[in-house]
Amino acid sequence: MKRIGLLLLSAALLGSLLTGCQSDGTVTQSPTGSNTNTASGDSILDPENPTTISFYSYSLSYPTMKPGMEHLIAEFNETVGAEKGVIVESVVDASTTQFKADIAAGKQVNIVQHAFPTMDEDVQKLGFQAYEDIFPADELAEHFSHFNTNALSLGQIDGKTYGLAFTFSTPILYLNGALFEQAGLDPNDPPSTWEEVYDCAVAIKEKTGVDGFGLAPDNGWATFGILYSNGAEVLSEDRTEAMFASEEGIEAMEMWQNLYESGAHAVGLDKDLQEQFMAGNLGMHIQSTSLLSGFQSAADAAGWELYGAAMPAFEGKEAVPVNSGSSLMVRGSSAEEIAAVWEFVKYASSEEGYTIITEEIGYLPLRTDVVDDPNYLKGFVDSNPIIQTNLEQLERIQPCPIWPAANATELTTLFADMVTQIITTGADAETLMKRTQGEMNKLMGA
C-alpha cells in the first residue's frame, strides 16, 4: 500500500510553468535601477474614480483560510480603499498557476500570493518588480522597519525585495491530546527529538490502532527543515550547486524513511493527512499554522484537545525550522496601478492586516509591533501557546531554497520526486540522492 502512495504523491507535484511578458506600459526603471515612482498615492489616486487592481490568492481556495482572507480584502475595500480610491478584486488561484496563464494572456495581474522557491524564475519571466524600484523610498523604509528581519530577507534576491513575506509559518508538531492519553503518553510533555517521535508514534499505533505520526512527502517545505536540522545543506549560498546528498542529508532522509516504514506513519498526500488529523485519526502531524483555525474547530467539535510543539530535533542537535507560506509579489503597468498596489500591500501587512491574518487564519504576525500591543494581538498570542511556539522558531529559521530562475520548475520537481521515492518506495536514499543531486547540478551548470 505504501508503494501505491508514490503514484498519488507524484500527481501532486508542480504543473508546467506558463510564461509571459510584461504588458505594454509597465513602469520602466532608470539605467541605474533606482526608484522612478516616488509620488505618493495621495497625489495620484482619486476616490471619485477608483483604480481597480487584482489580487491572486491561493488562500482563498482553502476552507480554513478563505473566510480570513475574504475579511482582509473586504476590510481594505471598505476602509482604506474607499478613502484612497482603490478597489481590490480577488482571484482564487488554488494551484498558483492561474496568474501565470493570465499574464501570458495579457490580463491585468497586479498582486500575487506567491510561494518562495520559484520567485527568481517568475521575476525573470513574468515581469514582477522590486519594491525598491517602484514604491516611495521613505514609505518603504518606514514600513519595513516594523518587520522581523529574518522574514524580510526571505523575499530578497540580489539585495532587492521582490516579495514581501506575507502569510508565514514555521513547522508545528500538532498533537491530538486524546490519542496521547489513550496511549499512556502525556501531551503536555511532547516529543522533542525524532527518536521520541518514533517511539510515541509506535505507542499510539499499538494502543489505539490509528496512525501515530504524519508528514506527507509532498509537503514542499518541512522537508528542508529535516535536512537542515541534521546539519545538511540543500543549495549553495550562491545558488549554483545542490548539496543535499551529504552524509548528514542522507542520514536525515533515512530517519524519515524508517519512520514511514514503522507502520505507524500515515500514508497520503498533504491534504489527506490534514483531513485525517482533523478527523481525530492521527496522533501527531507536522503542519503550518495556516491550518490552526481548522484544526482547533475540529478538535472542539469532536471533544479532544489540540496541542502544539516545536519542530523535532536530531539527538544532540538543535532543530532548524524553515518557513512555509507566501510573499506578496507585485506588477504594475501605470503609476496609478502601482500606487493602488502599494496601498493594499501596506494594509495587508499592517497592524490591522496581521491581526486578521493571525487571529482568523493562524499565520505568524511578521510585524514586531503587534505581538505585544493589547490593541492588536497581545491577548490572542498570550492565550495561544501554538502561536508562541511559532514566534520562538521564527527567531532561528533558515530559509527554504530559492531555486535559480533558469530551471526552478525542473529543479523543484526533481527534488520533490526524489523525496517521494525515498520515503514511500524504500529506495536507497544514498543512491537516489546522489543521482538526483547530479542531475540538478547538471541543469545548473555546476
Side-chain angles (χ1 to χ4, degrees):
M1 289 299 296
K2 291 185 177 179
R3 303 299 188 268
I4 293 173
L6 170 62
L7 298 176
L8 297 173
L9 290 162
S10 295
L13 300 176
L14 293 176
S16 297
L17 183 70
L18 296 171
T19 60
C21 302
Q22 279 181 240
S23 57
D24 291 340
T26 298
V27 173
T28 57
Q29 309 307 317
S30 68
T32 61
S34 60
N35 190 332
T36 61
N37 179 52
T38 57
S40 168
D42 292 336
S43 63
I44 298 175
L45 299 171
D46 180 4
E48 299 299 321
N49 298 285
T51 299
T52 299
I53 56 174
S54 61
F55 174 41
Y56 287 65
S57 169
Y58 65 75
S59 288
L60 290 168
S61 67
Y62 287 80
T64 58
M65 302 188 218
K66 181 179 179 181
M69 194 58 69
E70 287 181 334
H71 181 195
L72 178 74
I73 297 166
E75 195 70 21
F76 171 81
N77 283 336
E78 293 168 7
T79 57
V80 176
E83 176 189 347
K84 301 283 188 176
V86 181
I87 298 173
V88 173
E89 292 185 346
S90 60
V91 181
V92 179
D93 196 354
S95 61
T96 62
T97 58
Q98 186 61 49
F99 76 88
K100 299 175 184 180
D102 286 354
I103 290 174
K107 295 183 180 180
Q108 181 184 9
V109 177
N110 297 120
I111 308 169
V112 174
Q113 185 185 6
H114 197 291
F116 291 96
T118 56
M119 283 180 57
D120 196 7
E121 182 173 44
D122 286 352
V123 166
Q124 298 297 323
K125 297 180 178 180
L126 302 179
F128 287 100
Q129 295 157 291
Y131 280 52
E132 290 84 354
D133 288 344
I134 61 173
F135 296 142
D138 55 343
E139 294 183 23
L140 190 66
E142 196 282 329
H143 194 67
F144 281 4
S145 70
H146 300 291
F147 276 75
N148 178 283
T149 55
N150 285 345
L152 277 179
S153 67
L154 297 174
Q156 294 176 344
I157 301 172
D158 297 331
K160 286 190 176 182
T161 306
Y162 286 93
L164 176 62
F166 177 48
T167 52
F168 192 89
S169 177
T170 63
I172 296 295
L173 180 66
Y174 289 97
L175 285 70
N176 180 316
L179 292 176
F180 258 68
E181 291 170 355
Q182 290 171 34
L185 304 169
D186 182 1
N188 290 299
D189 184 23
S192 60
T193 67
W194 286 108
E195 289 84 354
E196 292 174 354
V197 167
Y198 185 102
D199 292 341
C200 289
V202 170
I204 291 170
K205 184 71 172 184
E206 290 178 348
K207 297 292 180 61
T208 70
V210 303
D211 293 322
F213 173 81
L215 172 62
D218 74 323
N219 68 82
W221 65 294
T223 299
F224 299 118
I226 293 176
L227 291 165
Y228 293 153
S229 294
N230 201 41
E233 295 296 333
V234 175
L235 186 65
S236 62
E237 189 173 347
D238 61 3
R239 299 191 300 126
T240 62
E241 182 181 4
M243 304 174 66
F244 51 79
S246 61
E247 181 180 346
E248 295 83 3
I250 293 165
E251 183 180 73
M253 296 303 293
E254 288 177 340
M255 176 282 300
W256 187 7
Q257 185 184 62
N258 290 337
L259 180 54
Y260 192 88
E261 294 177 345
S262 69
H265 193 301
V267 177
L269 304 174
D270 198 36
K271 63 181 181 61
D272 299 325
L273 270 56
Q274 295 170 21
E275 293 169 359
Q276 187 175 340
F277 187 77
M278 286 191 283
N281 295 322
L282 182 58
M284 296 174 283
H285 180 36
I286 288 186
Q287 190 53 264
S288 159
T289 49
S290 62
L291 278 295
L292 175 58
S293 61
F295 286 176
Q296 189 63 66
S297 296
D300 292 343
W304 52 272
E305 191 165 353
L306 176 69
Y307 292 80
M311 182 176 179
F314 286 85
E315 197 69 48
K317 300 178 182 179
E318 184 178 50
V320 180
V322 290
N323 62 283
S324 75
S326 65
S327 65
L328 293 178
M329 295 185 68
V330 299
R331 303 166 78 253
S333 60
S334 68
E336 288 79 12
E337 277 187 18
I338 288 174
V341 165
W342 181 226
E343 292 300 333
F344 180 69
V345 168
K346 285 190 295 183
Y347 181 81
S349 52
S350 67
E351 298 98 318
E352 293 82 2
Y354 268 119
T355 297
I356 294 173
I357 289 169
T358 302
E359 289 186 349
E360 299 184 26
I361 299 178
Y363 275 120
L364 269 174
L366 298 177
R367 294 181 63 110
T368 57
D369 54 354
V370 295
V371 175
D372 296 320
D373 191 329
N375 295 316
Y376 295 107
L377 283 173
K378 180 173 173 53
F380 181 80
V381 171
D382 288 347
S383 61
N384 284 273
I386 292 176
I387 297 294
Q388 289 277 22
T389 298
N390 216 357
L391 287 167
E392 290 166 4
Q393 291 192 137
L394 179 61
E395 296 304 317
R396 51 189 175 85
I397 63 166
Q398 184 168 331
C400 291
I402 298 178
W403 301 110
N407 306 105
T409 299
E410 293 91 335
L411 294 169
T412 300
T413 301
L414 280 169
F415 186 86
D417 272 332
M418 177 196 73
V419 174
T420 297
Q421 291 184 53
I422 291 172
I423 303 307
T424 67
T425 73
D428 182 75
E430 180 176 0
T431 299
L432 187 52
M433 290 176 77
K434 287 183 176 179
R435 182 170 73 236
T436 303
Q437 179 173 281
E439 292 172 357
M440 293 174 71
N441 283 335
K442 185 176 180 180
L443 280 173
M444 290 187 282

